[in-house]
Amino acid sequence: MTTSTPAGAPETVRTQRRRAVVASTVGTAIEWYDFFLYGTAAALVFPQLFFPGHSTYVGVLASFGTQFVGFAARPIGAAIFGHFGDRVGRKSTLVMTLMLMGVSTFLIGLLPTYASIGFAAPVLLVFLRIIQGIGVGGEWGGSVLMSMEWGSRKRRGLMASWPQLGVPLGLLASTAMVQLMSSASGDGFESWGWRVPFLASFALIGIGMYVRLRVLESPAFREVKEEREVVRMPVLRVLRDQPREVITSAFVRLSEQAPFYLFITFVLTYGTQKVGLSKEELLNDTLIAAALGLVSVPLWGYVSDIIGRRLTYGIGIACVGVFAFPYFAMLNTGSSGLVMAAIVLSLFFHDIQYGPQAALIAESFGANVRYSGAGLGYQLASVIAGGPAPLIAAAILERTDSSIGISWYIVACCVLAMGALILMPRGTAEPGTALAEAGTADTTGKSGKSDAEKTEA
């Protein structure tokens, strides 16, 4: 049996695929703009504005500590919105996450500093960071599934990689805005210039809402509803039936997410305070690396459709591990060319993993629990990888006054991730399996439900 599209025409399928890709990518880019903006501000201005009166090291730790709170909230967002995404639908859930993220970011731009309201300032900052984390925690699963489930089964790696472009797009936009305001406001950046990029988020909400409201619900979820396969408690079901898939999905991200936040946020602290590089130079290099990610992320998603998710991802893990020591060695030279090369290569090696990652994780779960399972696995990594990474790096640097321990930390993350990749159960439609090669629909997984996305290829 083949489930028809709303209009039953191939042209409708193609139109909705395009809309799904645009809606997922644009919406995700806006949410990552909000999330990365906080990380950049945490490295550059928050220690002075919200945690004054401490040594530079303590201020940086406190600032990155509030950043970690947002990461800790992401699995909560994945559980909350995963529940609704598997029960109500991908589309309506994505509208909610966009609103939550945009409003909290806008309010950060209005926050009084410690000098104005004292201890209440960092408390409010932490609260809004938690809301940010909940929003982005629910965002990823829905965006990836909306794009992947509207796409061709043979191009799942490529289709699921488009929402992943939200990371380089968000990083590019947030870094560019900070760089623009840093130049435009000059000495006023710490007093008012930093607020403008946060306040601009309010305008971006309207753009995201427009594109997301134009796309129809994904065919996979419509079929789940039509066949009455909706799970009453999808989060509990996936944790009971597929704990191995959830846990390995989290640990396989150690080599991707932990180094990534060292490459884009901690590098600003390390480069300015340890190496003596200018903030503007580091931001410009990050802009170049993020722009290249617009090509490299979908490229590696496409490659994974040809040679397989695991092989592609494993290559990425190995590259990051091998580059851990050369990365800091290149930064420590202080040479503009080598510093730029270090930042660009670090994010390129990251993209080898990030391109196929969405499909690699999502294919492990059936359509009726996929939002919950993939979202939980993906966001749990925030607690063990992305969240603590800048804190661990800052502590290592303070204790040893050297980058060598940080490089070993990156290598350890890669070793653990490679182990998780080996232990990770194969997805039923992953390249290299009989199902994928035959081009047939997914069969019933451990969740006990069908994953038949029968859109026209």
Side-chain angles (χ1 to χ4, degrees):
M1 180 189 75
T2 300
T3 301
S4 62
T5 61
E11 182 60 34
T12 302
V13 177
R14 288 192 289 270
T15 299
Q16 284 301 314
R17 279 181 182 165
R18 287 193 296 268
R19 288 182 179 178
V21 167
V22 171
S24 297
T25 306
V26 171
T28 305
I30 293 170
E31 297 221 19
W32 281 115
Y33 165 86
D34 294 344
F35 205 74
F36 287 144
L37 192 58
Y38 188 101
T40 303
L44 297 178
V45 297
F46 284 176
Q48 306 92 280
L49 298 179
F50 292 93
F51 308 97
H54 301 290
S55 68
T56 301
Y57 167 66
V58 173
V60 168
L61 273 186
S63 183
F64 281 139
T66 62
Q67 184 183 7
F68 173 70
V69 168
F71 284 94
R74 282 164 64 170
I76 298 173
I80 293 172
F81 291 106
H83 173 84
F84 290 107
D86 283 327
R87 285 190 57 79
V88 179
R90 309 342 185 182
K91 177 180 175 178
S92 57
T93 306
L94 285 174
V95 171
M96 289 189 288
T97 61
L98 183 64
M99 287 294 296
L100 196 65
M101 193 72 176
V103 171
S104 60
T105 302
F106 175 76
L107 291 177
I108 289 176
L110 297 177
L111 268 185
T113 63
Y114 189 94
S116 299
I117 60 173
F119 186 68
V123 170
L124 289 172
L125 182 66
V126 169
F127 173 75
L128 291 175
R129 182 59 173 175
I130 291 172
I131 301 301
Q132 270 196 332
I134 291 173
V136 80
E139 163 69 22
W140 180 85
S143 293
V144 165
L145 299 192
M146 183 63 81
S147 181
M148 190 180 86
E149 291 176 350
W150 263 111
S152 165
R153 197 173 299 108
K154 295 180 180 180
R155 290 290 177 262
R156 275 181 160 177
L158 176 62
M159 289 297 291
S161 73
W162 289 117
Q164 302 285 75
L165 276 183
V167 167
L169 281 170
L171 179 59
L172 187 65
S174 62
T175 305
M177 279 293 288
V178 171
Q179 177 74 311
L180 175 64
M181 291 311 303
S182 178
S183 301
S185 59
D187 293 338
F189 182 72
E190 287 191 12
S191 60
W192 64 271
W194 70 271
R195 297 181 183 275
V196 176
F198 285 89
L199 297 176
S201 179
F202 194 75
L204 296 177
I205 296 175
I207 299 173
M209 291 290 286
Y210 173 75
V211 297
R212 287 199 163 170
L213 290 173
R214 296 182 70 222
V215 67
L216 299 176
E217 184 58 81
S218 83
F221 183 75
R222 289 203 319 272
E223 183 165 341
V224 168
K225 292 193 71 174
E226 289 169 3
E227 297 184 357
R228 300 181 184 276
E229 300 285 2
V230 175
V231 176
R232 184 170 177 269
M233 300 295 288
V235 174
L236 295 180
R237 171 69 71 86
V238 80
L239 289 176
R240 184 193 71 189
D241 293 350
Q242 296 182 270
R244 181 177 168 187
E245 284 85 343
V246 172
I247 293 170
T248 53
S249 294
F251 274 87
V252 82
R253 297 196 64 211
L254 273 170
S255 59
E256 171 266 316
Q257 197 190 44
F260 179 71
Y261 283 97
L262 299 183
F263 297 155
I264 68 164
T265 58
F266 178 75
V267 69
L268 299 176
T269 299
Y270 182 85
T272 55
Q273 296 181 12
K274 179 67 176 175
V275 186
L277 300 169
S278 71
K279 172 181 62 179
E280 288 73 20
E281 180 182 357
L282 290 169
L283 289 172
N284 284 334
D285 291 344
T286 303
L287 280 172
I288 294 170
L292 292 176
L294 301 180
V295 176
S296 58
V297 170
L299 169 65
W300 290 109
Y302 174 74
V303 169
S304 78
D305 284 325
I306 300 173
I307 68 173
R309 314 273 185 255
R310 291 164 184 273
L311 178 56
T312 308
Y313 203 91
I315 292 171
I317 293 175
C319 287
V320 170
V322 170
F323 193 59
F325 286 93
Y327 171 73
F328 282 102
M330 294 165 75
L331 288 180
N332 291 338
T333 65
S335 167
S336 296
L338 289 175
V339 169
M340 182 177 72
I343 293 175
V344 169
L345 284 173
S346 68
L347 292 188
F348 179 78
F349 294 149
H350 161 270
D351 292 346
I352 299 176
Q353 299 171 78
Y354 206 62
Q357 186 181 87
L360 175 71
I361 293 174
E363 284 173 339
S364 298
F365 305 94
N368 59 339
V369 294
R370 183 177 289 153
Y371 201 135
S372 300
L376 276 174
Y378 184 89
Q379 300 300 352
L380 280 172
S382 301
V383 180
I384 61 173
L391 287 169
I392 292 171
I396 291 173
L397 183 62
E398 173 67 14
R399 185 176 181 85
T400 66
D401 196 35
S402 170
S403 62
I404 294 176
I406 304 173
S407 295
W408 278 118
Y409 168 60
I410 293 174
V411 170
C413 288
C414 291
V415 171
L416 290 172
M418 189 67 79
L421 182 65
I422 294 171
L423 294 174
M424 194 176 196
R426 286 187 73 93
T428 54
E430 187 179 335
T433 63
L435 284 169
E437 291 165 357
T440 57
D442 290 356
T443 56
T444 300
K446 291 183 181 179
S447 63
K449 302 298 178 183
S450 173
D451 180 26
E453 291 107 325
K454 303 182 183 79
T455 57
E456 288 83 353

